[in-house]
Every structure is written in structure tokens, then in C-alpha cells.
Amino acid sequence: MSGKAVCLGETMAQVTPADGEGLERSRELRLAVAGAESTVAQYLADLGHEAAWVSRVGDDPFGRRIVAAVASRGVRVDGVRADPAAPTGVYFKDPGPDGTRVHYYRAGSAASRMTPADADRVDLTDVRLLHLTGITPALSDGCAELVDALVRRAADSGTLVSFDVNYRPALWSSRDAAADALLALARRADVVLVGRDEAETLWDTATAEDVRDHLGPRGTLVVKDGDVGATEFTDTGAEFVAAPAVDVVEAVGAGDAFAAGYLSGLLSGSAPAERLALGHRLAGRTLRSIEDYVPATGPDLRGDDGGEGVPAARPDTTGEGH
């Protein structure tokens, strides 16, 4: 195992129509597990890295199912607490001709009750990477304070912080509030991942270069531009990897897959083009599936499927994910 990583954030029970019909018409529903940070942790474990997931779940069947599912992929879950006073969050996917909409039932969830005290369960000893997203600070004031405390601790311990902006409008009081909070966190992170379109929504930046200029010269920035490609910016220059075409079944979860592929390459010491391409390939597996997480196995991840990768995620029609 290599590349020790810790991922912190909420994971929910996911309910999806089994037949691909919308929720109003479907007669059968499937229960699965989905969360941005735990998805990244599972992919990292699949790719040979030592990964841990930290969170809270309810002391209920959904919470136990989630912890067991994530642990079954080789992810450490000893940093997950079962909260007897709050439920596990649930969300529903509602596929339709114009894309998939997402309906959350997560207010007051166990994960939203996390506070800086939960940082005590995050052991950064010998950890190379702490992965966070913009979803967690939007869940509650306590979660925002927890993220702030962890970023400070990571800086003190020399642990790299990766931050996926993951703007979810429904979780914020306003776009301006999100723009300010997410920009502040992005400027403190060592590695930032953001979609060009979500950056434009938040910060009125039209191009990848505009995003780089707005965030300022800190660390590494990866700007994903849908089916165009992805660009990595560092203080030594920029690297762009185009996104070959792929038949998209559903986009929800592909951004997390891209993040995991890119971070795996980073932890393994791969060249910028290689880690961007791995992000594209991993995202492509999710884009071709109705699943948010598709186990990372098979020859296509090694790049010997006849192409260099597949496109990074487009957002779903609501701009929402996990």
C-alpha cells in the first residue's frame, strides 16, 4: 500500500429507481451508498493507496450499511462515529429525459452535527494527503469550523490538503456566501479541483486561466472543463489533457471519480499528463454507468483501451451531487 490519505465528509444512503424511470413512475427502488469523500477514499483504496474515511453516521441500518460498504473496499473506517441522536442522511436520484435530478433528505443528519471536536478522530500522523470538499462546510457552522481546524492542523503537520470545490447551491444560503467561503478555502489548499462552469457561477471566471488568476499563485490547481478536458496549473506552468468523447449515461459522481484518479496519480508521483488522464479514465467509468461508484478495476484504467481517457464530469441538471 502507498500514498496514505484521509478523506472527511458526509456519506448518505442513496435511493435510485431500479428501472431507470423517474421516481413518480418507478415501481422498484435500489438502495446504495454515496458520498463525495468516501467515494474518493474507495477509489484510492482500489488503486492501491492506504485510505481512511472519517465522518458521522446515524446509529441506524443506513449508517451501518454505509460503514460496512466502504470498509469492504479496503478503506479504514475507525474514524467514523455512529451518532445515536441523529439520522443518516438520505438522497434520491430522479432520472429523466433532461438529466438526473437529486432530492436531499439530509437536514439535521448525523454528519451535519460534526464539530471541531471530531478533529480528534483524524490522525494525520504519516498522512500524505487530507481530502476535503466544499460540501462539508456548507452542512453546518460546526462542519465549517471542523474544516477550518483540519486545514490548520494539516499545515502544521506538513500534510497536503486537496480541496474539491463541489459547489452545491441547495446547501448554501446564497451564491455570494458560497463564493466567499469556497474561495477562502481554495486559497488555503495545496491542491484545488474545480469545474470551469462552477467557478464561473461562483466567481465570474470565464476560462481556466481566469480561475488560476482569481485563486492566486498557491499550490496546484486543476480546472475541469466538461467534455473539453482538464488543465493542471502549477508554478512551473500548465498541462492540458483533452477529453475524448464518451457515451454518457449519467454524470452524478463522475467528478469524484476524476478527483480520485488525479489524486492517485499525484500520490504515486506520476507526471501531470498521466494523472490528468487517469482522472479522465476513472470519471469515464462513472459516466457510462448509473452508479456513483464503479470499482476501479480493468485494463481501461491503465490507458490500454485505445485512448488516453474520457471526459471529466459534467454537472447534473440541478448542479447538485452528494
Side-chain angles (χ1 to χ4, degrees):
M1 301 287 281
S2 66
K4 191 172 181 181
V6 172
C7 307
L8 179 141
E10 180 170 32
T11 293
M12 294 174 287
Q14 177 203 85
V15 182
T16 307
D19 53 11
E21 294 289 330
L23 289 170
E24 292 183 22
R25 298 176 299 279
S26 181
R27 297 174 61 87
E28 295 185 7
L29 301 176
R30 297 174 60 250
L31 183 61
V33 170
E37 300 85 1
S38 63
T39 293
V40 170
Q42 289 176 91
Y43 278 128
L44 289 175
D46 287 348
L47 295 169
H49 304 281
E50 185 178 350
W53 169 55
V54 177
S55 188
R56 285 199 208 183
V57 297
D59 187 10
D60 53 36
F62 289 144
R64 290 187 286 275
R65 184 181 184 120
I66 287 169
V67 174
V70 175
S72 73
R73 301 307 307 177
V75 176
R76 287 185 54 188
V77 295
D78 49 305
V80 181
R81 174 187 167 192
D83 187 338
T88 302
V90 179
Y91 86 96
F92 292 77
K93 292 170 72 171
D94 188 16
D98 298 322
T100 298
R101 300 188 67 84
V102 177
H103 303 275
Y104 290 132
Y105 295 84
R106 74 197 304 176
S109 69
S112 73
R113 289 158 53 93
M114 290 190 292
T115 70
D118 289 276
D120 294 340
R121 292 183 288 111
V122 182
D123 183 5
L124 295 181
T125 305
D126 298 325
V127 169
R128 294 180 59 195
L129 182 75
L130 170 66
H131 181 65
L132 304 166
T133 78
I135 297 171
T136 305
L139 296 178
S140 66
D141 290 343
C143 285
E145 293 167 2
L146 169 61
V147 169
D148 175 71
L150 287 174
V151 171
R152 285 189 279 105
R153 278 187 52 192
D156 292 340
S157 66
T159 301
L160 288 175
V161 174
S162 64
F163 180 67
D164 193 339
V165 171
N166 258 325
Y167 172 48
R168 301 294 177 249
L171 298 179
W172 294 92
S173 60
S174 69
R175 190 205 73 160
D176 289 344
D180 291 345
L182 295 173
L183 178 62
L185 285 169
R187 286 177 170 168
R188 295 170 65 191
D190 301 291
V191 180
V192 177
L193 299 109
V194 64
R196 188 206 57 77
D197 50 358
E198 68 178 338
E200 185 170 13
T201 298
L202 286 167
W203 306 313
D204 298 319
T205 50
T207 67
E209 289 75 17
D210 290 341
V211 180
R212 175 200 59 196
D213 294 342
H214 190 65
L215 263 61
R218 173 178 172 80
T220 299
L221 168 68
V222 178
V223 180
K224 302 168 289 179
D225 193 5
D227 57 3
V228 176
T231 305
E232 178 196 275
F233 295 98
T234 66
D235 57 4
T236 60
E239 183 77 41
F240 172 79
V241 173
V246 63
D247 292 328
V248 177
V249 174
E250 185 184 89
V252 178
D256 303 321
F258 179 93
Y262 176 84
L263 293 173
S264 174
L266 184 70
L267 289 169
S268 299
S270 300
E274 294 171 349
R275 52 198 187 223
L276 290 169
L278 180 55
H280 285 321
R281 290 196 292 276
L282 208 59
R285 298 168 64 82
T286 305
L287 288 167
R288 297 186 185 103
S289 170
I290 63 171
E291 305 294 339
D292 290 19
Y293 163 69
V294 181
T297 58
D300 54 318
L301 292 180
R302 297 193 298 270
D304 52 4
D305 58 343
E308 292 187 4
V310 294
R314 291 180 179 276
D316 59 271
T317 57
T318 60
E320 307 266 336
H322 311 312

